Amino acid sequence: MDVFRIENFISQEDSLILSNWIIKNSHKSFFKDANMKGNRKTTRYSTDKNFSYPSEALNIRKKIVDVLNLQENEINKIHPPFKDGIVASFAENNDTCFSHKDPIWVEGFETLHCNIITQAPEKGGELLINKHKYIMKEKELFCYLVSKNSHEVLKIKSVEPRLMWVFGFCVNEKQWKNIIKKSND
């Protein structure tokens, strides 16, 4: 299983800003049930376009595009159809996410998610990709092809919610190989 990780990809200050934005907005109508057999709410399914992500989220998206070298062929403009290609996620105690693969949004391109946890659960919430367990660290950039690999999240056991940001992209095979090559350098 190929994953791309960079620890401490975002600053503590940005992490706090992003966490506070989710907490402040998680009760609003643009956060919807994630439809993954758990308690998680996300902005992914919102049809409300009258909200905006904090500038820090847009700046982090740009940083990901630069670090992963996704600007060639204007590929950074091809992203999943959720607002700005970004999803904010709020998951409480006992939340889980069943095993699934995400859709391919653009023919000839796999769907890539670059996740950043801004508040990890006290216990649980491990990510299983093709049954291999990963623990995502706070502020870490964690990328993998969600359209190609089955993935799920184990039950969260935590008083504090698990807060995560997803930055989605559509990448071709050559781009993904270049990303993985970077992780091996």
Side-chain angles (χ1 to χ4, degrees), residues 70-83:
L70 295 178
Q71 57 270 55
E72 65 186 44
N73 301 325
E74 304 234 346
I75 198 66
N76 59 322
K77 293 182 180 171
I78 299 177
H79 56 73
F82 24 90
K83 184 173 177 67

Side-chain angles (χ1 to χ4, degrees), residues 3-181:
V3 299
F4 180 83
R5 303 174 89 158
I6 300 176
E7 287 189 35
N8 295 309
F9 187 75
I10 65 170
S11 69
Q12 183 64 31
E13 180 182 353
D14 282 348
S15 182
L16 288 171
I17 290 167
L18 295 179
S19 289
N20 288 334
W21 186 90
I22 291 175
I23 290 167
K24 177 182 167 192
N25 291 289
S26 64
H27 68 284
K28 294 185 178 172
S29 63
F30 53 85
F31 270 85
K32 306 273 186 209
D33 183 335
N35 298 316
M36 294 288 174
K37 296 185 181 174
N39 306 325
R40 187 166 44 107
K41 297 185 291 185
T42 76
T43 58
R44 178 176 178 167
Y45 299 104
S46 180
T47 56
D48 181 354
K49 302 299 179 198
N50 294 322
F51 73 93
S52 22
Y53 292 116
S55 60
E56 290 79 5
L58 300 173
N59 292 339
I60 290 165
R61 187 178 200 294
K62 168 98 174 69
K63 182 179 176 182
I64 294 168
V65 166
D66 292 344
V67 167
L68 300 184
N69 195 27
L70 295 178
Q71 57 270 55
E72 65 186 44
N73 301 325
E74 304 234 346
I75 198 66
N76 59 322
K77 293 182 180 171
I78 299 177
H79 56 73
F82 24 90
K83 184 173 177 67
D84 299 321
I86 299 173
V87 173
S89 173
F90 177 93
E92 295 183 282
N93 190 44
N94 291 319
D95 182 52
T96 186
C97 175
F98 66 85
S99 182
H100 68 285
K101 290 182 184 179
D102 283 50
I104 291 176
W105 299 105
V106 178
E107 188 176 336
F109 293 85
E110 295 290 341
T111 305
L112 171 68
H113 281 183
C114 296
N115 300 334
I116 299 176
I117 299 267
T118 57
Q119 183 172 286
E122 294 146 22
K123 187 175 178 187
E126 298 91 346
L127 174 64
L128 292 182
I129 304 173
N130 297 328
K131 305 215 183 280
H132 185 81
K133 189 185 292 188
Y134 295 91
I135 297 172
M136 292 188 290
K137 299 175 184 175
E138 287 182 0
K139 303 183 298 178
E140 172 184 46
L141 180 69
F142 189 100
C143 305
Y144 66 104
L145 295 176
V146 295
S147 57
K148 201 170 195 165
N149 297 287
S150 293
H151 54 284
E152 64 186 287
V153 177
L154 299 179
K155 191 174 282 192
I156 293 170
K157 294 293 183 188
S158 183
V159 173
E160 297 297 321
R162 175 182 182 255
L163 306 177
M164 184 174 80
W165 288 79
V166 177
F167 300 87
F169 302 93
C170 299
V171 298
N172 60 35
E173 188 175 333
K174 178 183 175 198
Q175 289 169 311
W176 179 242
K177 284 181 180 178
N178 286 339
I179 292 167
I180 291 303
K181 184 176 183 276

